[in-house]
Amino acid sequence: MEQEKLDRLLYHGKIHTLKTEGDVVEALGIRAGKIVFVGSSQDALRRFSADEAIDLNGRTVIPGLGDSHMHFNAACQALATVDLSPCRSKADALDRLRKKAQITPKGEWIRGSGFDQSKWEDAPDQLPSRHDLDAVSTEHPIVIKRACLHTAVANTAALQKAGLFQRKAPESGGMIEFEADGLPNGVLREQSIRIFDVLIPNPLADPFTRRACMAEQLKRMASLGMTSMHTYAADVWQYAEDPSDYACLDREGLLPLRVTVYQDDLAKLAKDRAAIPAPSGDPSQKLSVGGYKLFCDGSLGSRSAALYAPYSDDPSTSGMLVQDPGALEEKMFLASRQGVQCAIHAIGDYALDVVLTAIEHTRARLKAAEWSASQIDALPKFRIIHAQLATPGLIRRMQKLPVVLDVQPAFFLTDMHWVHERLGPARMENGYLWRTYMESGLLLTGGSDAPVEPCDPMPAIYSAVTREDFAGRPRGGLQPREKLSVAQALSLFTRNLPYATGTAHLVGTLEVGKFADLAVLDRDLFSIPPREILKVQVERTILAGADTWVRA
């Protein structure tokens, strides 16, 4: 019998197709960027010859990993700031900024990113103030952003440049904190942060710097077994997403992932949709356009996520909505009428209520506008980003709606050390309900919200499976019953992702006819102890049948 010709054949492996849980094959054949065979090694070697045959020697293969929600431009910008994420004390954070000030010409801006005051061992869980940053330097304007991106702290020089010593009303949907004497204390939240994002020069403004930074980050993501990302603009914070940047990288052979770009401006989105074709059956097509990003509230770490009742560790606030519910609904209706998918940030339970009401009203308004039920149901699913807190009543409402929940299991690794105090024991029963969501029939996808958390799927999968910190320690009151199986956790970052964008017929599982996007691992996620998930190494990443990264 004459053998069929393949471009590549992988055999003698443990290949988890994820078509169904436990579906494992030994061999996979690739031709023209697509999978054309899955089955036994014996059958593959008998039927096919290949330009390249790779003996996996028992290694594990999974579908390519992805990130359902990140801010790639913001992650690249963060590389040009003082990284405060490793700091475990206020003293360490200030020392890092001080060292930067020593090598920065006087008068130039200093930016810090990723700080999390809840992890500081030498200070209570309180945000720093302008006075703390003045101790670093009074000759440089300094602005640092919290890891969640929803809070910033500025020193006196930065506040003066922004004109904030002339007391002014905060931006709509924002907050500026003042001291007893009426002077700003340096803390700004939500939309008020914009004033600094406009003032501070964008480190990626230079196209050569931007290209190099993007290429470096994309290469790193490929090394993590990643083959896709959904990246979101946040123009309100000067985090733009320009599809032409990715198109240029692709032409230069420097785009190792499939990229779906979401905008928070409908006019930009319309321009992108006109210029970039919808996903097709061509595995070489890497760039596509997503939907419309909307914000409803802030974050738990900043106590700006909108809750039904005040925070347990700060009864003076219940968080905040960053825009009027009526305005949110109007934007959602306008986008839906154009067939545009809406993706809405909602962390608190009250914010989730507002978002669900807006979705319900949008569908009702379309019906009143004489849209048929089939037309309404054919619209892209609404994406609810984060959904960290949900009452049983809110879950029942979600079950009746066409929604996808974009969750971030890595958040749990950070939040677990303080969220119990933020929410209190009773309300914690409604937090991070991954298994409950799944058992309620809701579709979940996994992301990082990078640069809020690193865009490495393995720690997130570990978090979902164990609900423990990196040392293997659980935290009381954090519902161990909500743990996911390895198959469920892995599906968040593989199988489930394309359902959010309507491309599940192209990617997500390793089946004949789908794109050959996959990762080769040094050990089997399904047979190792959960602690070993953190040690998994990616040996090879393949996109459309071609290597995007190979471990030396």
Side-chain angles (χ1 to χ4, degrees):
M1 183 179 71
E2 185 177 353
Q3 290 183 312
E4 296 180 52
K5 190 67 179 294
L6 298 176
D7 296 328
R8 306 185 89 175
L9 173 64
L10 285 67
Y11 65 99
H12 289 162
K14 195 169 187 179
I15 301 171
H16 295 271
T17 71
L18 293 192
K19 178 181 178 182
T20 57
E21 185 171 348
D23 186 46
V24 180
V25 299
E26 298 175 323
L28 181 148
I30 301 169
R31 185 189 300 125
K34 293 185 178 182
I35 299 169
V36 296
F37 172 83
V38 290
S40 71
S41 295
Q42 182 180 6
D43 194 20
L45 294 170
R46 177 178 58 84
R47 288 177 52 186
F48 301 104
S49 64
D51 291 337
E52 182 181 13
I54 300 173
D55 187 345
L56 294 169
N57 290 312
R59 288 183 176 83
T60 294
V61 177
I62 60 171
L65 296 160
D67 194 311
S68 67
H69 182 82
M70 66 177 296
H71 306 279
F72 186 75
N73 182 281
C76 290
Q77 283 197 38
L79 295 179
T81 70
V82 180
D83 182 11
L84 304 177
S85 61
C87 297
R88 293 298 176 266
S89 69
K90 181 192 287 189
D92 184 17
L94 298 180
D95 187 54
R96 289 181 182 227
L97 292 167
R98 194 172 289 112
K99 289 176 180 176
K100 179 67 172 178
Q102 290 170 354
I103 61 172
T104 301
K106 294 178 181 180
E108 288 192 10
W109 288 87
I110 294 174
R111 301 169 66 209
S113 65
F115 84 87
D116 185 349
Q117 82 288 346
S118 70
K119 295 179 180 178
W120 290 348
E121 297 167 353
D122 62 347
D125 182 8
Q126 294 177 352
L127 292 165
S129 71
R130 68 180 171 97
H131 305 292
D132 293 310
L133 298 185
D134 285 348
V136 171
S137 174
T138 58
E139 298 176 316
H140 300 83
I142 303 173
V143 176
I144 61 174
K145 282 192 177 180
R146 195 181 181 280
C148 63
L149 303 179
H150 290 263
T151 293
V153 184
N155 72 344
T156 299
L159 293 167
Q160 288 172 334
K161 280 185 174 292
L164 291 176
F165 273 87
Q166 294 76 45
R167 184 160 186 162
K168 56 167 54 174
E171 292 259 358
S172 175
M175 182 185 296
I176 301 172
E177 291 189 5
F178 291 89
E179 298 168 342
D181 59 6
L183 297 178
N185 72 358
V187 176
L188 295 86
R189 303 178 195 268
E190 304 305 332
Q191 305 291 334
S192 295
I193 300 171
R194 296 176 59 181
I195 194 166
F196 293 116
D197 294 321
V198 172
L199 280 175
I200 301 174
N202 183 349
L204 302 186
D206 175 70
F208 297 102
T209 301
R210 183 169 65 251
R211 173 189 173 280
C213 184
M214 292 178 71
E216 177 186 346
Q217 281 287 83
L218 288 164
K219 183 177 180 180
R220 178 179 175 273
M221 292 170 72
S223 76
L224 299 172
M226 300 180 70
T227 58
S228 68
M229 69 169 172
H230 302 169
T231 183
Y232 285 73
D235 283 358
V236 65
W237 297 324
Q238 304 297 303
Y239 296 140
E241 287 290 350
D242 187 345
S244 67
D245 288 331
Y246 300 99
C248 289
L249 288 168
D250 193 17
R251 287 193 293 271
E252 296 178 46
L254 297 174
L255 185 63
L257 279 77
R258 301 191 189 281
V259 179
T260 304
V261 177
Y262 282 71
Q263 299 285 6
D264 59 354
D265 182 286
L266 267 182
K268 285 188 177 180
L269 187 63
K271 182 180 177 181
D272 292 348
R273 282 159 62 93
I276 300 169
S280 67
D282 180 1
S284 67
Q285 182 184 343
K286 301 174 187 175
L287 182 61
S288 60
V289 179
Y292 184 31
K293 169 69 181 291
L294 295 162
F295 282 93
C296 186
D297 68 342
S299 74
L300 289 173
S302 291
R303 295 187 185 89
S304 57
L307 307 180
Y308 282 131
Y311 282 83
S312 297
D313 61 354
D314 186 357
S316 70
T317 182
S318 300
M320 62 185 298
L321 299 178
V322 299
Q323 63 180 311
D324 177 77
L328 174 66
E329 180 184 318
E330 195 60 35
K331 292 175 182 178
M332 194 180 295
F333 174 68
L334 178 62
S336 297
R337 198 170 56 183
Q338 298 174 29
V340 171
Q341 182 182 50
C342 294
I344 315 100
H345 168 114
I347 287 182
D349 46 14
Y350 177 53
L352 181 56
D353 189 337
V354 169
V355 169
L356 296 180
T357 299
I359 294 173
E360 292 161 348
H361 286 180
T362 293
R363 288 169 59 84
R365 288 176 67 180
L366 291 171
K367 182 178 180 180
E370 299 186 349
W371 282 45
S372 67
S374 59
Q375 286 177 306
I376 296 172
D377 290 339
L379 286 171
K381 295 181 184 296
F382 293 88
R383 301 183 74 160
I384 301 178
I385 301 161
H386 308 310
Q388 283 177 247
L389 200 60
T391 64
L394 293 173
I395 293 174
R396 287 192 291 272
R397 287 170 67 187
M398 286 192 286
Q399 287 177 298
K400 299 175 184 178
L401 294 170
V403 297
V404 174
L405 306 185
D406 297 318
V407 301
Q408 292 72 35
F411 278 11
F412 190 76
L413 294 168
T414 296
D415 298 359
M416 67 183 294
H417 302 288
W418 48 258
V419 72
H420 194 270
E421 287 72 29
R422 284 279 196 285
L423 299 178
R427 197 158 38 190
M428 267 306 303
E429 292 295 311
N430 299 327
Y432 309 84
L433 302 176
W434 307 323
R435 180 175 286 275
T436 295
Y437 286 158
M438 284 190 170
E439 291 176 349
S440 300
L442 297 170
L443 180 71
L444 275 62
T445 69
S448 66
D449 204 15
V452 176
E453 298 289 347
C455 57
D456 183 350
M458 285 302 163
I461 292 170
Y462 165 83
S463 173
V465 170
T466 67
R467 290 176 85 91
E468 296 174 350
D469 67 14
F470 288 137
R473 297 169 302 202
R475 177 72 189 272
L478 298 185
Q479 317 104 304
R481 66 179 180 276
E482 295 294 336
K483 294 178 183 177
L484 300 183
S485 69
V486 170
Q488 289 172 324
L490 180 59
S491 292
L492 296 181
F493 296 89
T494 54
R495 173 191 174 96
N496 293 4
L497 257 71
Y499 284 98
T501 53
T503 55
H505 60 296
L506 301 175
V507 291
T509 58
L510 302 179
E511 299 180 67
V512 171
K514 290 193 175 183
F515 299 166
D517 298 354
L518 52 98
V520 181
L521 311 179
D522 69 344
R523 64 197 80 187
D524 184 11
L525 284 169
F526 291 85
S527 61
I528 58 177
R531 290 279 300 143
E532 269 194 48
I533 293 173
L534 294 171
K535 300 178 182 178
V536 169
Q537 298 289 319
V538 176
E539 300 285 348
R540 185 188 298 261
T541 306
I542 295 175
L543 183 79
D547 291 337
T548 56
W549 188 84
V550 179
R551 181 172 294 278

